[in-house]
Amino acid sequence: MVNLITVQQSNSQLKNTSIYPSEPVAVIAGGTSGIGKATAKAFAKSTVCPRVYILGRSQESADRVIGECKALNPKGTFKFIGADLSLIKNVDDVCERIKRYESRINPLILSTGMSLSNTVTEEKLHRLVAMAYYSRIRMAQNLLHLLSSAAPFARVVVVGAGGREGHVHTDDLQGLKVSLRHIRGHITAMITLALEKLAQEAPTVSFVHDYPGTVRTALFDRGGTWILQVFKAFLWLSERWLCVPIEECGERHVFLSTTPRYAPAEGSQITAKDSVFRGSDGQTGSGVYSVGWDCESSPSSVETLLATQREDGTADAIWRHTMDQFARITAL
Ligand SMILES: NC(=O)c1ccc[n+]([C@@H]2O[C@H](COP(=O)([O-])OP(=O)(O)OC[C@H]3O[C@@H](n4cnc5c(N)ncnc54)[C@H](OP(=O)(O)O)[C@@H]3O)[C@@H](O)[C@H]2O)c1
C-alpha cells in the first residue's frame, strides 16, 4: 500500500519547478463534483500556477468548485466547459475548444459519473458504457497529441474500477444484455485494454486506470435501484471504517496524476527502477497501470486475465469495435 504520507510527500514536491512544470495544464472531466472536484482542489493546492479545465454539465456546481480552487491558489486559472459528455459529438467539440486554448496537457483526469441505465443515447450507444468507456477513450484519443507534447509530465487517469477487470462479452461489447453483476468486469477490462492501445500510439504518455475505493459522493445521494438504496444505508452505518475520505481521495488522484513512478513506456525520467510500479502486462514501468484504491498495482491474477484477453484477440476486437463506433457516429 502507498500510505497517505508518501502520497502527500510526493504532492508537496510539485511546487519545486525542477521536479514539475510551474504552469501545468489539467483537464478534469467530471470536475464539478465528487472525486473530480476533490482532485481539482488538491491539484490547485499542490501546484504553482495551474490552468485547470473543469468539465461537467452544471454551471452552478462549476462556479462553486472554481471559487474553492481560486481560494486555495489565487495564481491558478480555472475554466469551466459545460457539455453532456455521454455524446461523442460533444466530446469532440469540447476537445476542439481545449485545443484552441492549449498546446499541451499534463494530466487528463476522466472522472465523469454514470447512471445505471440500460437506455441508449441518441448516438445509439448504451448510456452506461458511453459514460464509462466510449466517451473517456474518445477524449483521451482526441487529446493524445497535446498529452504527448507534455511528456515526460503527461498522464491519463481513468477513475473507474482498476483491478476489477473481468470477462469481456465479445458478442455484446456495448453490454446491452450483460447483467449488472457482470458489467463492471466487462467495462473495466475494456478500459484497461483500450488504454494499452492508446499507449502504443503515445508511448511517452502514461496511463493509470484506478479504483478509488468507496468514496461518499453525490453518486450515492441520487435515487435509483433498491440495491443502491440498501448500499446507501449500509454506507451510512459503516462510512468511518469502509470509505476513503474525499480529501484523501483527491490527494491520491493528484499522486496518480503526477508521480513519475507510473512511468511511460518511453522517456521515463525516473532512475530508481525499484520505485516504478508494475504495469498491466506485469512488466515494471510498461506505461499502463491498473491500480487499486491504495495506488498499488493490481494482483497478478488480473495480469493473467489481461494476457489471455490480448492473446485470444479480445483486445483487438474491442479496439476495432470502438473505432467502428466512433466512425459510425462521426458520419451521422
Ligand atoms: N464514489 C465512489 O465510491 C466510486 C467508486 C468507484 C468508482 N467510482 C467512479 O468514479 C467516477 C466519479 O464518481 P463520483 O463519485 O465522483 O461521482 P459524482 O460525485 O456523481 O461526480 C460525477 C461527475 O461527473 C459529471 N457528469 C455526470 N454525468 C455527466 C454527463 N452526462 N456529462 C458531463 N459530465 C457528467 C458530474 O457533473 P455535472 O453534474 O455537472 O454534470 C460530476 O462532476 C465515476 O465514474 C464512478 O463510477 C466512484
Side-chain angles (χ1 to χ4, degrees):
M1 167 173 175
V2 180
N3 64 42
L4 185 57
I5 293 173
T6 306
V7 166
Q8 288 168 334
Q9 276 169 351
S10 174
N11 293 352
S12 71
Q13 302 281 305
L14 299 175
K15 285 193 175 155
N16 178 342
T17 53
S18 63
I19 289 182
Y20 200 66
S22 57
E23 293 184 24
V25 177
V27 175
I28 307 181
T32 53
S33 79
I35 296 168
K37 174 180 174 177
T39 306
K41 287 171 67 178
F43 192 79
K45 196 176 73 176
S46 308
T47 51
V48 180
C49 198
R51 286 200 296 283
V52 182
Y53 292 86
I54 291 170
L55 319 182
R57 291 164 303 177
S58 163
Q59 179 74 54
E60 197 187 331
S61 305
D63 290 344
R64 227 176 357 250
V65 183
I66 289 173
E68 291 175 32
C69 286
K70 263 282 182 207
L72 288 164
N73 187 344
K75 285 197 203 150
T77 308
F78 305 93
K79 193 173 167 61
F80 173 58
I81 303 183
D84 176 355
L85 298 174
S86 65
L87 296 177
I88 299 302
K89 287 198 168 165
N90 290 350
V91 171
D92 289 353
D93 288 346
V94 167
C95 293
E96 282 311 310
R97 283 178 69 182
I98 294 171
K99 283 182 194 169
R100 259 182 260 141
Y101 304 129
E102 299 296 341
S103 57
R104 62 180 169 80
I105 293 169
N106 298 101
L108 167 65
I109 299 162
L110 299 164
S111 185
T112 36
M114 59 193 80
S115 54
L116 291 176
S117 156
N118 224 27
T119 57
V120 292
T121 67
E122 65 191 55
E123 294 175 335
K124 306 227 173 343
L125 288 179
H126 185 182
R127 190 174 301 279
L128 168 65
V129 188
M131 289 299 293
Y133 174 74
Y134 298 105
S135 145
R136 292 165 171 210
I137 298 302
R138 181 68 170 185
M139 187 167 287
Q141 190 181 41
N142 284 347
L143 298 177
L144 220 44
H145 182 66
L146 269 64
L147 285 152
S148 296
S149 301
F153 306 105
R155 178 90 30 95
V156 175
V157 175
V158 178
V159 185
R164 271 82 177 154
E165 287 84 351
H167 174 69
V168 174
H169 299 253
T170 44
D171 56 343
D172 179 20
L173 285 167
Q174 281 218 36
L176 275 161
K177 294 190 211 93
V178 179
S179 69
L180 211 53
R181 200 164 137 241
H182 293 117
I183 195 104
R184 181 169 77 166
H186 173 85
I187 297 173
T188 305
M190 282 175 72
I191 294 173
T192 304
L193 292 167
L195 293 182
E196 291 182 358
K197 296 287 184 191
L198 290 173
Q200 286 167 12
E201 284 179 37
T204 58
V205 178
S206 57
F207 297 80
V208 175
H209 177 194
D210 83 291
Y211 171 65
T214 305
V215 188
R216 192 102 178 65
T217 65
L219 199 66
F220 299 103
D221 293 336
R222 293 188 197 107
T225 60
W226 66 269
I227 301 177
L228 198 61
Q229 300 298 337
V230 171
F231 187 60
K232 264 164 68 173
F234 174 69
L235 259 195
W236 184 76
L237 292 171
S238 55
E239 181 170 356
R240 238 178 93 196
W241 299 282
L242 281 189
C243 293
V244 178
I246 187 78
E247 293 80 14
E248 172 172 346
C249 181
E251 290 182 284
R252 285 190 178 276
H253 281 82
V254 170
F255 177 79
L256 294 171
S257 305
T258 57
T259 175
R261 295 178 62 190
Y262 303 104
E266 290 176 14
S268 163
Q269 291 290 80
I270 202 158
T271 45
K273 268 280 171 212
D274 56 347
S275 66
V276 177
F277 289 100
R278 221 178 51 253
S280 55
D281 61 356
Q283 303 298 311
T284 300
S286 58
V288 180
Y289 303 85
S290 166
V291 308
W293 79 270
D294 58 358
C295 305
E296 288 287 354
S297 302
S298 295
S300 56
S301 54
V302 170
E303 291 161 15
T304 308
L305 174 72
L306 292 169
T308 310
Q309 291 169 334
R310 271 178 230 113
E311 279 156 27
D312 69 9
T314 300
D316 289 337
I318 292 168
W319 196 244
R320 262 195 317 275
H321 160 82
T322 308
M323 294 308 109
D324 286 351
Q325 292 302 315
F326 292 164
R328 174 184 66 73
I329 291 165
T330 45
L332 283 177

